[in-house]
Each structure stands twice: as C-alpha cells, then as structure tokens.
Amino acid sequence: MPAGPRLCSAGMDEDTPQGLEIRHLRAFESVARLASFTHAAQELMITQPALSRTVRQLEDLLRVTLLDRSTRHVAVTEAGRAFLGHSVRVLAELDRAVGAARRQGTVKLGFGWLLPTPWAQDTVARFEHATGSSVDLVRTDDPLAAVQQEQVDVALVRGDVPNSRLRVVRLFEETRVAVCSERCSLAGESAVDWSEIPEWPLVVNTVSGTTGPWSWPDGDGPATIVETANFDEWIESIAAGRGIGVVPDVAVQRHIHPSVRFVPITGAPKIPVSLAFLPTANGPVLRRFVEAALAH
C-alpha cells in the first residue's frame, strides 16, 4: 500500500508518534473488523506480508500490542479495542471530509442541441459514481463561445472545430438524416441520397448547425439557404415548410417536433462528435470527466 498522508509533523503534540499515517489506521481497522489478515489484505488489495508489516509498524509506533496473533483467529487486545474506537472515528471523519471536497468539484457541460444517447447518460453516471463530483448540463446556442468565455468547462460539439485555442478530444461519429415538414413530398420517401440534398432549400443553424453550404465543395451545395440563429428557429422553419434540414440520427429518437418527419440519407459523410475545452482548464476533475467520456 502506498504511503498515505501523515497524521502528525514536527511541532505537533509530543504524545503523537512521529510517522503515524492513514494507511496504518486503515490496515489495523480492516484486520480488527474482519478478524483476519488474509481477508483484510484482500479488501485493501495488498499482499498479506505487506499488511502484516504495516500493522507491526503501527504497534511499534504506539509501543503497544494491538492484535493477539497467538490464537487461531486474530483477536484485538484491550489496548487494541481502545485504539480501534478512536481509529474508526478518525477514518469516518476523513472519509466525510474527502466526500465533501469531491462534491465541490462540478463540471459544467455545454451543449447546443440534443446530447447523444446513451453516451451522455452513461458518461454522467460513470463520472459521478467514480468521483463523487457532479455534472451540470448547460444548454447554450453557441457551445464554443461558452467555452471560450468560461461559462462552461467543456462543450460537446458536432462537426469540425476550427478554433485553434481550444483543445479538442474526438469521441465518435454520428449518422446524418434529413428532416422535413410532414407536408413535404420528401416525407413519403424511404431514403434520399446525399447528392440530392442540394436540390432542396436547406435550413441552416448558422451558430451551431452541423450541415450547411460548407458541407459541400464550392458550387455543389444547395442553391437556396434559409439561415436561422438557433435550434428553435431552425426546427420551426422546417416545420413551416421553408426547406429541409440535416441532423444527427439521435433526433429520430427524441420526437423533436410533431410536424416534421425524418428520412434516412444514403452516402452522407458522418458527423464528428467531440469535446472542446480551454487547455488552461485542464484540471483533475475535468480530466476525469474526459476519461469517463472516452470510456463509452
């Protein structure tokens, strides 16, 4: 077991043994509770000889015998029982202190549109379970701007991230689907090819959309572009028949509007999904969140 934090240092009470560490208390408490060096070593995930040495170090520091090893089962001595009660309280207070500190670590995750399913739910659960920290989900029209202005710690973004100031971690890719008004003739088609999309007026979210004129080589994109500035304007424009849109297929599962229909697209390039954050924000809590995000 690696050396833990010391419970004392020069200048502390002379009655407190120099060199007493948290690992000593945890080792002794585990053996006393389980009445077994073997089971305690398994619980602490260390070897039995290492556990025995740690307990012996504690006894040497205290100059008392805490455990009676002469019987078939490990027994706690009278001195050990007195020390055990205090040890349990110290360890409980320490665990509460660590938990309180960890709960102060909150990651603000910005997103401009639907979060991927089940990636978002799995990532949040995995991160919060592993760290005791929490994730605040922040909906914003421009996730990249929110990161740069430090309104959020990290943003989920779709498409390429041109800003070189941000650190980008690629997660996965999503399939594109077309979305149109239920009154549109495209709504009755079983599929549409990517090469046919430019034949329709294209409704584009210019702030955080994933598909726009930039998605085709110069001259090959749609002749008619309907620009909107956020998701609500975008989806209502499509529902009103102003044009069609192109979105990640996660939208199919979400019933985003009762007056639109989804049509699979063949031959479409997939949409990259990434996390973006400022390099200066790369603290331990954020690193753990990114690790959880990549474990999907």
Side-chain angles (χ1 to χ4, degrees):
M1 178 185 293
R6 298 210 170 179
L7 298 181
C8 61
S9 61
M12 292 185 68
D13 193 327
E14 292 181 358
D15 292 336
T16 303
Q18 297 293 317
L20 184 60
E21 300 176 1
I22 294 298
R23 65 188 181 95
H24 294 121
L25 301 188
R26 292 204 186 279
F28 167 65
E29 186 277 335
S30 184
V31 175
R33 173 167 44 83
L34 298 174
S36 167
F37 276 88
T38 300
H39 294 159
Q42 292 172 348
E43 179 180 78
L44 297 172
M45 293 185 290
I46 61 174
T47 66
Q48 189 170 331
L51 176 60
S52 297
R53 285 194 301 271
T54 301
V55 173
R56 181 66 69 187
Q57 288 171 1
L58 177 61
E59 292 177 321
D60 291 342
L61 288 167
L62 298 177
R63 300 178 185 175
V64 295
T65 299
L66 300 173
L67 299 171
D68 183 357
R69 302 166 177 80
S70 61
T71 58
R72 187 169 185 178
H73 298 287
V74 177
V76 182
T77 65
E78 184 176 349
R81 284 193 293 273
F83 186 70
L84 179 61
H86 294 290
S87 298
V88 169
R89 285 192 291 274
V90 168
L91 292 173
E93 285 298 322
L94 177 63
D95 289 341
R96 279 193 287 271
V98 170
R102 283 180 171 173
R103 285 191 293 274
Q104 297 305 309
T106 300
V107 170
K108 291 184 178 181
L109 172 63
F111 66 100
W113 200 65
L114 300 178
L115 287 169
T117 301
W119 171 88
Q121 296 77 26
D122 291 345
T123 296
V124 170
R126 189 182 301 116
F127 169 76
E128 292 184 342
H129 176 75
T131 66
S133 300
S134 60
V135 178
D136 288 346
L137 302 177
V138 181
R139 221 288 300 172
T140 175
D141 289 333
D142 192 341
L144 290 178
V147 169
Q148 295 175 71
Q149 296 165 12
E150 300 186 26
Q151 297 171 353
V152 299
D153 301 304
V154 58
L156 182 119
V157 292
R158 292 178 168 96
D160 295 327
V161 181
N163 193 316
S164 59
R165 291 184 57 225
L166 299 176
R167 182 176 177 188
V168 179
V169 176
R170 182 68 61 90
L171 297 174
F172 48 83
E173 295 180 329
E174 292 177 318
T175 300
R176 282 178 162 97
V177 296
V179 55
C180 63
S181 167
E182 62 182 355
R183 297 184 176 88
C184 178
S185 60
L186 183 61
E189 299 295 326
S190 59
V192 60
D193 192 77
W194 177 249
S195 63
E196 298 177 85
I197 296 296
E199 300 174 7
W200 300 82
L202 184 67
V203 182
V204 175
N205 179 344
T206 59
V207 177
S208 59
T210 57
T211 304
W214 60 85
S215 301
W216 287 269
D218 290 344
D220 293 342
T224 303
I225 300 295
V226 179
E227 294 187 346
T228 63
N230 55 56
F231 169 76
D232 293 330
E233 292 178 3
W234 176 83
I235 191 62
E236 293 297 346
S237 296
I238 293 172
R242 301 292 183 265
I244 69 170
V246 177
V247 291
D249 58 359
V250 65
V252 179
Q253 310 169 29
R254 301 295 187 89
H255 307 290
I256 59 177
H257 197 292
S259 297
V260 303
R261 298 293 180 265
F262 297 98
V263 181
I265 303 176
T266 57
K270 292 190 175 182
I271 303 170
V273 181
S274 308
L275 291 178
F277 51 94
L278 291 170
T280 54
N282 191 18
V285 176
L286 182 55
R287 285 198 298 272
R288 294 292 297 275
F289 178 79
V290 173
E291 290 171 2
L294 289 170
H296 63 85

